[in-house]
Amino acid sequence: MQFIDLKFQYSKIKDKVDAGIAGVLEHGRYIMGPEVVALEERLAGYVGTKHCLGVSSGTDALLIALMAIGVKPGDEIITTPFTFIATGEVIALAGAKPVYVDIKEDTYNIDVTKIEEKITSKTKAIMPVSLYGQCADYDAINAIAEKHNLPVIEDGAQSFGGEYKGKKSCGLTTLGCTSFFPSKPLGAYGDGGAVFTNDEDLHKKMAQIRDHGQAARYEHTIVGLNGRLDSMQAAVLLAKMDIFETEVSLRNEVAKRYNDLFGESVITPTVENHNKSVFAQYTVRVKNRESVLASLGEAGIPTAIHYPKPLHLQPVFENLGHKEGDFPVSEKVSKEVFSIPMHPYLKEEDQKTVVNGVKLAIENS
């Protein structure tokens, strides 16, 4: 059983993917070719923003966004500790300090009631994460940010295609960032990402940062990086966009089947009524995770843990002085969550095998 079946997905769009890659091979513009421009236009139209910038990865998308708003050493960025390392990593790379806010136990997204108390004179931005495919509470976040004159950067690496109150993820804030890592709901065949904004000046600055800070060829007016998107990855993504909305619907069907099959046997994902998740992962919670995972491994059922250790307890951030107990909700769920196979083409019989395996593992643990 595949955790994510990208090979089957490829079989459905093989002709378009192959034609797109062949087109790149024909024109030879392998980096920032016409496919990138076409993809940016299509993605911006899909999300509903004026601008989209294709970049080299989701991590670089976040870093470029931080650089564009002028983050400097000594600044503070408010975010969540329950996320992939890239969220905190880019803050450190930009020279700033991550300031953590604990999460809600039901959605695993940032607890907006605890944000404002963390704002100081050093706060430069709020960077919430839309985890597992579901958007955070951006109306409340944006209201806090507006009150304190702060930009908001959505880390939408897992939520592209998701919706918040009828609006698309990555189009809800000052800047929205996403990843096209192969396992994402919209994944390339290598690294890739994008940044979305309605701000013309920020878009121009990010485009400059993406290409080594060039204002013109060999004229470098700001410090940038090599954050360009490959044409072949853009060609693959263009082909995948043709089936993306269908796949989002299929993901929700798969998630509903899981919910129905599990019943009350595990803690299943909670999706707010005003949200539409893309279920980048289908993540459940159990009390005795290690023994459950061991049983599932013996049964040949693939699993993953997203994420086993919150950022504030990662060795790389020891200098911030956090300790066990500082963010109790993040710490609690990090010991209980695990993800099971999830992709648009997961068969019902395979889901039943997974669910029965989990239930049996719980009984035997």
Side-chain angles (χ1 to χ4, degrees):
M1 187 185 302
Q2 299 292 317
F3 192 77
I4 299 170
D5 196 343
L6 295 177
K7 186 175 181 180
F8 182 81
Q9 183 197 50
Y10 170 60
S11 71
K12 298 182 71 66
I13 52 173
K14 183 179 186 302
D15 290 346
K16 289 182 179 180
V17 170
D18 291 355
I21 291 174
V24 175
L25 294 172
E26 283 293 325
H27 65 59
R29 294 175 60 187
Y30 300 117
I31 296 173
M32 297 298 296
E35 292 81 5
V36 174
V37 176
L39 178 67
E40 289 172 339
E41 292 176 353
R42 187 162 185 181
L43 293 178
Y46 177 81
V47 170
T49 55
K50 293 179 181 178
H51 305 289
C52 169
L53 192 77
V55 298
S56 48
S57 70
T59 305
D60 283 340
L62 292 169
L63 181 57
I64 289 169
L66 289 171
M67 293 171 71
I69 64 171
V71 172
K72 61 186 183 303
D75 287 341
E76 296 177 348
I77 308 294
I78 292 175
T79 191
T80 163
F82 191 60
T83 180
F84 182 57
I85 188 65
T87 310
E89 182 179 51
V90 294
I91 295 170
L93 285 170
K97 174 186 175 182
V99 174
Y100 300 120
V101 171
D102 212 349
I103 59 172
K104 293 176 62 183
E105 192 169 345
D106 55 353
T107 64
Y108 312 123
N109 281 328
I110 195 166
D111 186 341
V112 297
T113 66
K114 298 179 178 179
I115 292 176
E116 198 160 15
E117 65 192 49
K118 295 295 183 78
I119 295 175
T120 72
S121 60
K122 296 180 180 179
T123 305
K124 187 70 174 182
I126 304 171
M127 193 161 78
V129 179
S130 296
L131 201 70
Y132 297 155
Q134 176 176 204
C135 292
D137 187 356
Y138 284 104
D139 280 356
I141 294 167
N142 288 336
I144 294 168
E146 185 176 357
K147 178 180 176 182
H148 294 274
N149 195 30
L150 296 170
V152 178
I153 300 171
E154 179 188 5
D155 181 344
Q158 298 178 11
S159 59
F160 185 81
E163 295 180 8
Y164 173 82
K165 298 183 179 179
K167 297 179 180 179
K168 296 290 188 184
S169 174
C170 296
L172 303 166
T173 57
T174 316
L175 293 157
C177 302
T178 198
S179 167
F180 301 129
F181 186 77
S183 62
K184 301 297 183 183
L186 180 64
Y189 290 162
D191 278 313
V195 191
F196 298 82
T197 189
N198 288 313
D199 189 304
E200 181 75 27
D201 292 336
L202 281 176
H203 177 251
K204 288 180 179 178
K205 190 171 184 180
M206 290 190 299
Q208 190 175 347
I209 292 168
R210 173 180 66 177
D211 193 16
H212 297 286
Q214 291 190 107
R217 189 164 176 79
Y218 299 128
E219 184 72 22
H220 306 269
T221 57
I222 59 175
V223 173
L225 49 80
N226 180 3
R228 300 170 303 210
L229 180 64
D230 293 346
S231 304
M232 284 191 183
Q233 302 305 338
V236 169
L237 291 165
L238 282 167
K240 288 196 175 191
M241 278 298 291
D242 289 344
I243 60 170
F244 184 58
E245 273 298 280
T246 298
E247 290 193 336
V248 171
S249 296
L250 289 173
R251 282 178 173 273
N252 277 269
E253 290 177 16
V254 170
K256 185 180 185 304
R257 281 202 300 268
Y258 266 142
N259 291 344
D260 293 341
L261 290 167
F262 274 120
E264 303 296 322
S265 59
V266 297
I267 298 175
T268 54
T270 296
V271 179
E272 301 273 17
N273 290 333
H274 54 257
N275 278 345
K276 180 178 181 180
S277 178
V278 286
F279 291 98
Q281 292 87 18
Y282 186 92
T283 301
V284 299
R285 281 170 57 197
V286 295
K287 294 294 184 183
N288 40 0
R289 182 176 67 193
E290 297 314 311
S291 60
V292 170
L293 293 187
S295 297
L296 292 174
E298 291 174 4
I301 296 172
T303 59
I305 303 175
H306 305 95
Y307 297 94
K309 182 181 287 189
L311 298 193
H312 69 286
L313 299 179
Q314 292 288 348
V316 70
F317 291 125
E318 282 181 356
N319 63 304
L320 298 179
H322 291 299
K323 62 185 185 303
E324 189 91 29
D326 284 353
F327 303 98
V329 181
S330 295
E331 293 164 22
K332 177 184 178 182
V333 301
S334 71
K335 295 178 175 69
E336 299 176 352
V337 294
F338 70 95
S339 304
I340 55 179
M342 163 54 84
H343 59 83
Y345 308 106
L346 191 59
K347 296 177 181 177
E348 186 172 356
E349 53 264 37
D350 287 336
Q351 289 188 262
K352 289 179 178 178
T353 298
V354 172
V355 172
N356 290 335
V358 172
K359 289 180 177 179
L360 183 61
I362 292 172
E363 289 175 11
N364 295 335
S365 62

